[in-house]
Amino acid sequence: MLNVDNIKFAYSKYNSLFDNLNLELKKGGICGLLGKNGAGKTTLMSLLSGVLFPDYGMINFLNMSSINRSKQFLQEVYLLTDTEFAKPQHLTGNQYLKAYASFYPRFDYNRFNVMLQEWGISSTKKLNQFSGGEYKKFLLSFALASNCRLLLLDEPTNGLDIPAKVKFRSLVANTITEDSSIIISSHQVRDLEDLIDPIIILDQGQIILNQSIAEIENKISFTTTTNKPALGTTLYTTPVINGFTSAIIRHNDEKYTKVDLEILFSAVINNPKLIQSLWSDK
């Protein structure tokens, strides 16, 4: 569905970010793109959407090149960035809807209004009167109602309180279909627990993990113990109240455990080569 083939990208000759980056994404999933600030998540999202062009290589979605930015491509790809946009002056929510929804042939007006009601947002209110959180909820509702085949949500939970984050996860889970894909970037990994699969971790312009939840559970166990685990099979350990939480290499006699995204992220960032070696025999 989405293919990133050997792309290179640099903001300048002194600032190269991606070098021979490859990625394949199948339809029907909510992919988590995780990484520290500055890892390249926003730039990759911009490249996938056609906002930026790679210096070398190709990005294709549904056999359409992002570089060409055809009408058909732009109707199927929606990027919601975390950049603080200036709110359209003097436009109400309804006026914004009338101006922009027609760009997306399958836009679901009824679902958009239902989501606004669930957020407690009035579409008759002027956008420049929205708080930052309200405006974020409005734009998220628009993105999810667009029914684009590829949704790119860059740090969508920034600025949302805890109840709003719970609502966001529910709305996204109810948006995905067998024929669409959603990529959510975040450095706040806890916000995406029980939502994303597969998981991609980006660090310094390189993909250092790209695996499904099932594949991770098959290789790594996440445990909490009172004693600090011994070195060897331990990938990462962090102290918690009355003990330690660890990611360890799973052996055949160990039980499968739920993936702890925060511990996994830290383990991958701290031991990328060791983590990658777990799948080197595939």
Side-chain angles (χ1 to χ4, degrees):
M1 188 177 192
L2 174 66
N3 290 283
V4 177
D5 185 19
N6 200 34
I7 66 166
K8 297 182 179 182
F9 179 80
Y11 283 105
S12 71
K13 64 180 181 179
Y14 304 108
N15 187 15
S16 178
L17 181 55
F18 298 126
D19 188 13
N20 299 322
L21 187 75
N22 294 279
L23 175 64
E24 182 177 347
L25 183 67
K26 297 179 181 179
K27 62 183 179 180
I30 303 172
C31 173
L33 178 62
L34 310 180
K36 297 182 293 186
N37 286 334
K41 302 186 301 296
T42 297
T43 300
L44 181 56
M45 291 279 213
S46 297
L47 288 164
L48 296 179
S49 66
V51 172
L52 294 176
F53 298 155
D55 300 321
Y56 180 85
M58 295 295 297
I59 299 173
N60 287 287
F61 176 67
L62 298 176
N63 296 317
M64 297 181 291
S65 171
S66 64
I67 297 174
N68 294 335
R69 289 179 54 85
S70 66
K71 176 182 177 181
Q72 292 76 15
F73 177 87
L74 296 176
Q75 287 177 338
E76 296 293 356
V77 179
Y78 191 99
L79 170 64
L80 179 59
T81 72
D82 189 42
T83 305
E84 184 65 28
F85 288 114
K87 299 168 188 174
Q89 297 295 311
H90 310 302
L91 282 184
T92 66
N94 286 330
Q95 290 170 333
Y96 182 97
L97 184 69
K98 184 177 180 180
Y100 295 106
S102 59
F103 288 106
Y104 306 99
R106 294 186 303 279
F107 193 94
D108 191 331
Y109 291 87
N110 180 65
R111 185 159 188 260
F112 173 75
N113 288 320
V114 168
M115 284 189 284
L116 287 191
Q117 291 175 6
E118 291 184 12
W119 290 119
I121 295 175
S122 171
S123 60
T124 61
K125 187 176 179 179
K126 290 185 177 180
L127 299 183
N128 61 4
Q129 296 175 344
F130 282 1
S131 68
E134 288 176 327
Y135 190 51
K136 189 69 168 282
K137 294 170 185 176
F138 178 88
L139 293 178
L140 281 170
S141 299
F142 188 94
L144 296 175
S146 70
N147 276 323
C148 290
R149 298 280 296 279
L150 179 61
L151 286 181
L152 304 168
L153 307 180
D154 185 23
E155 300 285 358
T157 58
N158 278 359
L160 299 182
D161 56 23
I162 292 176
K165 291 178 180 180
V166 173
K167 174 61 66 177
F168 164 77
R169 289 193 290 267
S170 174
L171 292 174
V172 170
N174 290 322
T175 296
I176 191 68
T177 69
E178 293 181 354
D179 294 321
S180 65
S181 292
I182 300 175
I183 301 178
I184 304 175
S185 78
S186 181
H187 66 281
Q188 301 179 34
V189 294
R190 289 291 185 196
D191 291 347
L192 304 183
E193 280 199 323
D194 300 319
L195 179 65
I196 54 175
D197 188 9
I199 295 172
I200 295 173
I201 297 181
L202 191 67
D203 190 49
Q204 297 181 349
Q206 296 293 322
I207 293 175
I208 57 176
L209 181 78
N210 181 8
Q211 300 293 342
S212 69
I213 291 291
E215 290 170 327
I216 294 169
E217 289 175 340
N218 192 49
K219 296 288 186 179
I220 303 173
S221 288
F222 300 86
T223 63
T224 300
T225 57
T226 55
N227 297 317
K228 187 174 183 178
L231 298 176
T233 60
T234 302
L235 302 171
Y236 181 79
T237 295
T238 187
V240 294
I241 296 176
N242 298 323
F244 299 87
T245 297
S246 305
I248 61 174
I249 299 174
R250 198 184 75 80
H251 297 290
N252 292 334
D253 59 343
E254 292 175 348
K255 295 181 180 179
Y256 288 88
T257 59
K258 178 182 175 182
V259 173
D260 185 316
L261 274 185
E262 192 170 278
I263 297 299
L264 173 68
F265 179 79
S266 296
V268 173
I269 293 296
N270 284 276
N271 298 290
K273 291 184 178 179
L274 180 57
I275 296 291
Q276 290 166 346
S277 71
L278 298 179
W279 285 276
S280 61
D281 58 343
K282 290 182 61 177

